[in-house]
């Protein structure tokens, strides 16, 4: 009787060798590839923070990245700018609210687009400080929250004594740390300057977002309510993202 096709038995030692060889080939691709950890692809290394005036200026938001606004002025500097006048504070410790001059920096002033004249422009300023100086000043400013809710100030321009009220608002979640303060300054001629400033520290950089308006005692209260400064979290997020080297997606 002809023998039917039969499976040949492979000795155990030979089978073990074949299985080991197959495992080495299947998992390692012949040793030519190494498996990459999940999620390791597509992550770019963070860009270093800007250090020169040109680098800081290049990472400030442009008009195209701020829909609804137009840039009316831009500036940059490589060395500390000389102060324009001096101001004294009572209590003296409240002088910490005056942001110290740093090194390289840049600023941009912008207005609402489409309006013939925006009487209440905003500006963003980024300043670089010596290592540790930005964190030190932010710490001092944070301490002022508890002792400088009201104070008096006077400038060297001879424009009289000003009475200031400070209101510390909830801190935005931005950068390494952030502070937000609302300040109302009244002078002897019954003019009021109402400002809202958000300070964001990123490493040794401090970015200040300023929005201020001025008005007299005769202003209509309903109109005043429509123009008072208000936080713009989208603008803060977009500027800090660009400062960190991320592509801004606009507001």
């Amino acid at each position: 009787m002809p023998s039917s096709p039969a499976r040949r038995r492979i000795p155990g030692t030979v089978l073990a060798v074949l299985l080991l060889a197959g495992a080495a080939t299947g998992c390692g691709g012949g040793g030519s590839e190494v498996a990459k950890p999940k999620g390791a692809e597509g992550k770019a290394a963070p860009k270093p923070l800007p250090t020169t005036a040109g680098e800081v200026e290049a990472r400030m938001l442009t008009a195209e990245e701020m829909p609804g606004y137009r840039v009316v002025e831009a500036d940059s500097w490589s060395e500390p700018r000389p102060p324009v006048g001096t101001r004294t504070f009572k209590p003296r410790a409240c002088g910490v609210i005056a942001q110290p001059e740093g090194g390289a920096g840049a600023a941009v002033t912008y207005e609402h687009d489409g309006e013939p004249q925006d009487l209440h422009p905003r500006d963003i300023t980024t300043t670089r400080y010596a290592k540790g100086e930005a964190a030190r000043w932010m710490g001092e400013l944070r301490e002022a929250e508890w002792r400088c809710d009201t104070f008096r100030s006077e400038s060297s321009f001879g424009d009289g004594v000003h009475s200031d009220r400070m209101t510390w608002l909830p801190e935005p979640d931005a950068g390494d740390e952030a502070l937000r303060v609302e300040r109302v300054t009244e002078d002897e001629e019954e003019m009021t300057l109402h400002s809202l400033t958000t300070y964001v520290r990123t490493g040794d950089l401090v970015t200040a977002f300023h929005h201020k308006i001025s008005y007299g005692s005769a202003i209509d209260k309903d109109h005043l309510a429509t123009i008072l400064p208000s936080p713009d979290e989208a603008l803060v997020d977009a500027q800090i993202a660009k400062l960190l080297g991320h592509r801004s997606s606009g507001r």
Side-chain angles (χ1 to χ4, degrees), residues 147-168:
R147 62 174 184 261
C148 292
D149 52 346
T150 60
F151 58 92
R152 297 172 74 81
S153 62
E154 185 174 7
S155 75
S156 60
F157 293 112
D159 54 354
V161 177
H162 298 79
S163 299
D164 292 81
R165 300 192 310 274
M166 304 276 282
T167 303
W168 299 85

Side-chain angles (χ1 to χ4, degrees), residues 152-233:
R152 297 172 74 81
S153 62
E154 185 174 7
S155 75
S156 60
F157 293 112
D159 54 354
V161 177
H162 298 79
S163 299
D164 292 81
R165 300 192 310 274
M166 304 276 282
T167 303
W168 299 85
L169 304 179
E171 301 172 5
D173 182 15
D176 294 324
E177 60 177 323
L179 289 170
R180 176 172 287 153
V181 61
E182 187 176 39
R183 180 177 175 182
V184 178
T185 304
E186 298 175 341
D187 64 19
E188 296 172 336
E189 298 180 358
E190 298 186 346
M191 287 297 295
T192 299
L193 176 65
H194 195 131
S195 63
L196 179 69
T197 303
T198 301
Y199 299 100
V200 181
R201 181 181 69 82
T202 310
D204 292 317
L205 298 170
V206 173
T207 302
F209 301 81
H210 300 287
H211 181 196
K212 54 190 177 184
I213 65 171
S214 59
Y215 53 88
S217 58
I219 190 171
D220 179 77
K221 302 304 180 184
D222 292 334
H223 174 62
L224 176 61
T226 66
I227 63 174
L228 284 176
S230 59
D232 191 336
E233 307 296 7

